[in-house]
Amino acid sequence: MGKTIGVVSRFPEHLSHFDLAYYEVKDVAGVWHPPIVGTVPMVSVFGDNRAASDHPEWVQVDANGQRAVRSSRYFDWDAICPSHPEVRRLAVDWVQKAAQQSRSRRLRLDDASFAREGYCRCELCLEKAGGQDQLEAYRQRVISAFVEEVRNDIPHVDMTLFPDPLPGHLERRFGNNLDQLSDLVDRFIVPIYDLHYATTYWLEILAQGFRERLTRPFFVELYALGVAEEALGRAAEVALHYADGVLFAYGNKLDALLRLRERLERVS
């Protein structure tokens, strides 16, 4: 059976050319893009620059009070805290709105995690966890409960994972308990991004690591904007050896994407 080749795109005119097309309806900037019927909506859940700016009290913090915002050396976008009831309600509303407007029976959760290790340690997280020594287990319960709530309304849920397959890292760093989530998620998406893909040994290591860790299907997502077509093709072939599918993300040249799909269909 052939493997899946799809896209993540901001170009509506590209989407109909692929059997699987993820369309970013709510991004990390906090901008809403009306869903497109026939595509899978993708929602950035706890990454939101606009919400963090409007409600600084929602921003995740570490034990030293460092905030998970773009001005920090660690973060490319702002992370809001899932422990806040208002954040949880907003996230559920975004997901439900995306599913209803797209009329899709499938939805992808992006940034459905805590920001990184050490986050969040705000007063609300500490109170709800029952103390600092309970935070790791608490964070995992929070994320799994959110995904379970979403799954009650949407038949098929896909979820993005940070590209770190080392045992225990997703659980400890991001609150993503794979044992719990594997009962709730249909497939996982692992973005493994590079601007050149000049070498692929590191990509192979990561893809193989996820193949060994995950019991659910998973796709590797490759960054396609401005990447040389031949290098991107080689990287996709390596990823496809381990993954159940490959996604090309944010490429702006439809003819190149179609050639890449044909190339992978011949080898899959």
Side-chain angles (χ1 to χ4, degrees), residues 7-137:
V7 291
V8 179
S9 183
R10 296 192 179 108
F11 300 96
E13 64 274 16
H14 291 184
L15 301 173
S16 63
H17 293 272
F18 295 87
D19 292 335
L20 179 61
Y22 292 98
Y23 184 66
E24 196 173 42
V25 302
K26 188 266 170 184
D27 60 26
V28 293
V31 177
W32 181 265
H33 308 272
I36 297 175
V37 174
T39 67
V40 179
M42 185 168 76
V43 176
S44 174
V45 180
F46 302 122
D48 194 301
N49 301 342
R50 180 178 293 176
S53 177
D54 292 342
H55 298 277
E57 71 277 12
W58 292 355
V59 174
Q60 296 183 37
V61 297
D62 70 2
N64 298 316
Q66 181 167 286
R67 292 155 50 81
V69 293
R70 289 160 291 163
S71 58
S72 164
R73 59 180 175 166
Y74 294 121
F75 302 104
D76 295 320
W77 54 80
D78 301 350
I80 52 179
C81 178
S83 290
H84 285 264
E86 302 92 340
V87 169
R88 178 72 166 257
R89 284 195 295 270
L90 263 180
V92 171
D93 287 347
W94 289 328
V95 167
Q96 291 178 340
K97 181 180 176 182
Q100 291 165 2
Q101 292 186 5
S102 67
R103 294 183 291 200
S104 175
R105 293 175 57 82
R106 181 179 295 276
L107 182 135
R108 175 174 168 184
L109 301 174
D110 210 30
D111 302 304
S113 65
F114 283 85
R116 60 179 289 140
E117 62 271 25
Y119 291 82
C120 177
R121 295 174 186 245
C122 67
E123 292 182 4
L124 189 56
C125 279
L126 289 169
E127 177 186 344
K128 290 190 173 185
Q132 185 166 319
D133 59 337
Q134 301 297 316
L135 270 173
E136 185 176 325

Side-chain angles (χ1 to χ4, degrees), residues 158-232:
D158 300 344
M159 183 174 175
T160 307
L161 295 176
F162 192 86
D164 186 348
L166 289 176
H169 277 210
L170 288 169
E171 291 81 356
R172 184 171 68 253
R173 299 184 67 196
F174 303 102
N176 292 154
N177 185 308
L178 293 185
D179 289 336
Q180 296 171 8
L181 292 172
S182 292
D183 293 330
L184 304 168
V185 172
D186 290 279
R187 58 191 175 206
F188 293 103
I189 315 295
V190 182
I192 305 181
Y193 280 16
D194 188 46
L195 298 180
H196 305 287
Y197 296 109
T199 61
T200 58
Y201 71 93
W202 57 275
L203 190 156
E204 182 173 19
I205 292 169
L206 293 174
Q208 185 176 23
F210 276 102
R211 179 74 286 160
E212 294 177 358
R213 279 216 70 188
L214 296 175
T215 58
R216 284 287 189 179
F218 84 101
F219 294 169
V220 169
E221 179 178 302
L222 301 175
Y223 188 69
L225 181 61
V227 179
E229 184 176 334
E230 178 58 28
L232 190 56

